[in-house]
Amino acid sequence: MILDSKIPDGPLAEKWTKHKFSVKLVNPANKRKYDVIVVGTGLAGASAAASLAELGYNVKAFCFQDSPRRAHSIAAQGGINAAKNYQNDGDSIFRLFYDTIKGGDYRAREANVHRLAEVSVSIIDQCVAQGVPFAREYGGLLANRSFGGAQVSRTFYARGQTGQQLLLGAYSALSRQVANGKVKLYPRTEMMDVVIVDGKARGIITRNLITGAIESHSAHAVLLCTGGYGNVFFLSTNAMGSNVTAAWRAHKKGAFMANPCFTQIHPTCIPVSGDHQSKLTLMSESLRNDGRVWVPATKETAEKLRKGQIKASDIKEEDRDYFLERKYPSFGNLVPRDVASRNAKYVCDEGRGVNETGEAVFLDFRDAIIRDGKNVISAKYGNLFDMYQQITGEDPYQVPMMIYPAVHYTMGGLWVDYNLMTTVPGLYALGEANFSDHGANRLGASALMQGLADGYFVIPYTVGDYLAQTPSTKIGTDHPEFKKAEKEVKDRVQKLLSIKGEKTVDHFHKRLGKIMWNYCGMARTEEGLKEAKKMIQELKAEFWSNVKVLGENEELNQSLEKAHRVADFIELGELMVDDALNRNESCGGHFREEYQTPEGEALRDDANYAYVAAWQYVGEGQEEVLHKEPLVFENVKLTQRSYK
Amino acid sequence: MSWVSKTLNSTLGRKLLMALTGLFLILFLVVHLAGNLQLLIPDGGESFNIYAETMAKNPLIRVVSIGNFAFILIHVVYSIMLSRYNKAARPIGFAESKANTNSAWASRNMGILGTLILIFLLVHLRGFWYEFKFGEIPTAVYEGVTYKNVYLIVAEAYSNPLYVLFYVVSMGFLAFHLSHGFASAFQTLGLNHAKYSPLIQKVGIGFSILIPALFALIPIMMFLQA
Amino acid sequence: MNLTLKIWRQRNNADKGGFKEYKVTEVSKDMSFLEMLDVLNESLTEKGEDPVHFDHDCREGICGMCSLYINGKPHGPLQTTTCQLHMRSFNDGETITIEPWRAKAFPVMKDLVVDRSAFDRIIQAGGYISVNTGGVPDANEIPIPKTVADKAMDAAQCIGCGACVAACKNASAMLFTSAKISQLALLPQGQVERKTRAEKMVAQMDAEGFGACTNTGACEAECPKGISITNIARMNREYFTAVVSSENL
């Protein structure tokens, strides 16, 4: 099978405009004859569901949370990028496009990224019209800030809760359509499978999380807006419920998974405090603007510190190693996320880490407080300092903060073409669930942009193109394919419940997380990945013979919910390892230790790996088949990133 | 349902009636107190008796007093309705509650305080208003005009220490009721503003202490003078 | 730390339910409250007992999914969400009582899980600005004074957790409803539907069976996002103005 990305011809800047004109339209009177299923109600899902309902399609929206407003988009803090150039500082659509491509280490499609930059401006207009209270200047116009090392101020924000406000905006648009009767909402409902009829996605199977009822839903198109799979690492900044199940079931039904090994590790998270840890909390990247990252210069000092024999303040200036400032004199503490994360790992691996676990580095505000005064620092970071204190019980004004990298975002996801359609006709993937726009590394404040771009401004055109070519005839849920899929789901439920093994679901999830973090995390090696693959296969076998899921299907059963998700994470984990093993280069969030420059920086191999790795599921127990979509760069010159 | 009844049946509409009638009753307290303080004038009740008779004969005051009764009735009826409604909103309560850490006691017990005040009110009306209107009351003659000598009734009542105690304690309930009710009425009316609300709060507290204290002072003084 | 947990267990909505006591040992002070419950659930599962069901998702204080009435207070002793509460707020040997949100409008689904879809229906009644995707003016076309935008943001921060309802002696949802009415009433974009919105959202709030407001201020004191009851006053104003002047009969 040859992957057809369906990128329109013509100059980069005209592709989307041209495409919008060339897509087929569904007659306004006919739109009501089409049903669209939207799974997930985060930024991508809620915006898509609302926009499609506004156009007149009948939408069914599903989420596993108790309300669409809880989707994990809500936790995004920093902001949303848009090439508005309100600040007159030289921003443009092309610059946002260029920054995103470069930031992604040249592993994203030019056409998709340019479209993203184009529609970014409309997103802000839309959100303001919905009543999103973005930060404003005294003159009443919108405020911007520079984010994640960008050289222009293009980030719009609503305090430290931009994701929340954007999601509530999309949720309000969705709620309006629910009231209008154009969207039927299914909260506390988990998608269990995609139903494919005559090669096209025609519906889904769901489980009602309250009653356990396994139900079928038929439609003309299915949109997966189900977010990322960072929880494959067990510990991540994702919400506890974030999972890969919907995407993975789609994958097993024929949708290719692209670049699954591309995960983003965020450097400034609160370190793990013990075995009980259930999730990690991110603190805004902005802390690195004033905080200095260091560890003790020697192992011995670090050891004393870990044992509590000395305090951080006892360590003299000359015994501290400000390793980022030392290695990257021009960028210092502001090196990109992947570089900062990797170097923190290195010093901890050397035995110089702090915290009782040895897996943390200091982020010290002492000098900043001396320089600017406590008030200035408090005005900038007060809420973050409070949050840190609430979680750790330590006062960062008095003692240095401790941070450690954590999994934050997954750039990989379902392979989609320019229309956001997966390799299964009628099955679409939007937002973090797809792979399309961030390449091997995502820039700060771009996730929100992509989710809303896909939902508000891309899918309404592209899904119409597909539906216009699809007969409006409905397929009943009594169709054999639905019945078959339903039975598969029920069998799987029964299987999980009947194992009655010894170990809890979380036990397996934690073990999987450890394998992934140690071998497929910040730094990967061929040897380690091969080892990991074996371990995951063993874990999978053990899971299916020894997992303990109590209770029954016909009730609210959180263990059963988790068991489904973890079973899928285990399979995904193996594919991530395969993907990381295949990619014999280092790029963005993917760092293979064998492929680095003499200075220890990521070494890309554009000649051999400038492609999207799209994996095809071919059957239980079989190796997945790799398909390559070559990446063609006509508008940017590929360069090596350097932050020295 | 017309928009009026719809509104008055909504939770906000009911609260609106509570607030408006409450504020009127607050005003009434001031007027009532101003009159009653004349009991303390050492003229053997002359000013008070003349005042009472004048008030009773003034047609405007008669209308207002009917309104007053109506407002008390609305205040009471709606409070019962709201209490029942609110109770129904939480059929199963919490086993443990630390409500004292998040709100003032009086604010959570307006219904109880209101009931106690209502009991006081009934006793009070029976003792004085009813007597004044329908009872056999001795008379007094000032400058050739005959007046009902209400003062005598009051003075008699206040010579009983239990009666005085009942009055004083009841004024305590009133104080607590007002300590929440005064500012709360403004909040319900939507009158909450950073510039004025602190003042309303302060005035409310001052009012809730001063007015009941002065009311309580009358029986105490009269008891001591007797 | 060793603790005794007194937890409300209820199999489903129809079940009567009751408290059950559990001992947890070796609780670390650095654990979050929910992690402590995770540990309990692991041990219950190992013993073959049904784990305690509770709602949670982001565990960073923003999704609003976690609830729990802990020792007589919504979200426990601090003014934060349960997921941000850590065990250092408790003492060794303490008995901790954990109950679900209690309100007619929030029926218990299982153990500590309640149905808060009433909040969604209140938003569906009018908690939005009716603009379709596309065709909106430029974001900077209407300047909004910073103070107004900030106030709207103060109200918009509501996470919809329902602590206000749990804190209120009347199980009233006025803080939640007023936060959305306020946000949209403050912004110029919200003016067009301002009156209808207030009328409809209040009507829906009542229809859901939430109680009335006694202005005790408990909701504000317990709100993890510090939403102010000035919003309730604003809602009252909006509503009274709307009913006497709107075109809706």
Side-chain angles (χ1 to χ4, degrees), chain A residues 529-540 574 577:
Chain A
L529 289 165
K530 284 183 172 159
E531 179 72 20
K533 186 170 166 77
K534 235 171 50 204
M535 291 166 82
I536 296 171
Q537 285 171 343
E538 283 163 16
L539 187 74
K540 183 178 171 185
E574 190 181 338
V577 167

Side-chain angles (χ1 to χ4, degrees), chain A residues 47 51 54 64-70 72 74-75 77 84 86 122 124-126 128-134 136-142 158-159 161 164-165 168 171-173 175-179 185 188 210 237-242 273 276-282 387 389-393 456-457 502 504 506-507 548 550 552 555-559, chain C residues 11 28 30-32 35 38-39 42 44-60 62-65 78 80 84 86 88 109-110 113-117 119-120 123-125 127-140 142-146 149-154 156-161 176 180 183-184 187 189 225:
Chain A
S47 58
S51 303
E54 286 160 11
F64 69 79
Q65 297 92 344
D66 72 333
S67 162
R69 65 180 293 154
R70 315 250 188 247
H72 197 54
I74 205 155
Q77 300 170 359
K84 280 283 198 185
Y86 279 160
S122 309
I124 304 302
D125 299 341
Q126 187 65 34
V128 166
Q130 286 170 346
V132 170
F134 282 121
R136 287 178 182 267
E137 305 289 357
Y138 283 100
L141 301 184
L142 291 159
R159 297 208 183 125
Q161 290 135 278
Q164 181 199 26
Q165 293 311 312
L168 293 181
Y171 162 75
S172 71
S175 297
R176 176 175 156 238
Q177 293 308 316
V178 173
L185 207 57
R188 291 200 198 266
I210 298 294
T237 64
N238 283 7
M240 300 299 287
S242 300
S273 71
H276 54 264
Q277 192 92 21
S278 61
K279 83 151 267 159
L280 297 170
T281 303
L282 174 79
M387 180 174 81
Q389 185 166 14
Q390 199 155 55
I391 292 172
T392 64
Y456 282 135
F457 297 108
E502 301 279 311
T504 64
D506 272 355
H507 166 88
K548 185 173 196 171
L550 298 173
E552 51 197 59
E555 62 174 345
L556 176 54
N557 187 338
Q558 292 175 335
S559 312
Chain C
R11 280 196 65 81
S28 151
D30 290 328
M31 278 182 184
S32 74
E35 284 165 357
D38 289 343
V39 172
E42 284 292 283
L44 286 178
T45 308
E46 277 161 15
K47 281 190 275 184
E49 286 180 48
D50 193 23
V52 178
H53 282 62
F54 57 92
D55 267 331
H56 63 103
D57 199 25
C58 79
R59 294 208 179 181
E60 47 189 283
I62 192 76
C63 77
M65 187 127 171
L78 305 178
T80 179
Q84 295 297 289
H86 283 68
R88 66 183 74 91
M109 307 309 287
K110 181 171 181 176
V113 175
V114 300
D115 179 0
R116 285 170 287 194
S117 53
F119 273 9
D120 287 323
I123 298 295
Q124 285 157 19
Y128 44 74
I129 292 168
S130 297
V131 287
N132 285 355
T133 304
V136 297
D138 185 89
N140 259 348
I142 309 170
I144 303 174
K146 182 170 160 44
D150 284 349
K151 244 191 201 163
M153 181 63 197
D154 287 342
Q157 289 191 87
C158 168
I159 57 174
C161 64
F176 169 82
K180 187 51 75 179
Q183 178 202 341
L184 300 180
L187 296 170
Q189 288 84 1
K225 295 292 151 187

Side-chain angles (χ1 to χ4, degrees), chain A residues 114-135:
Chain A
H114 196 276
R115 174 177 65 190
L116 175 67
E118 278 176 61
V119 303
S120 70
V121 294
S122 309
I123 295 172
I124 304 302
D125 299 341
Q126 187 65 34
C127 294
V128 166
Q130 286 170 346
V132 170
F134 282 121

Side-chain angles (χ1 to χ4, degrees), chain B residues 19-53:
Chain B
L20 290 175
T21 51
L23 282 176
F24 179 85
L25 295 174
I26 280 172
L27 264 180
F28 165 74
L29 282 178
V30 179
V31 176
H32 190 36
L33 178 67
N36 281 18
L37 281 175
Q38 297 178 66
L39 285 163
L40 297 182
I41 299 172
D43 59 359
E46 183 177 340
S47 332
F48 183 77
N49 284 339
I50 295 174
Y51 158 78
E53 193 91 3

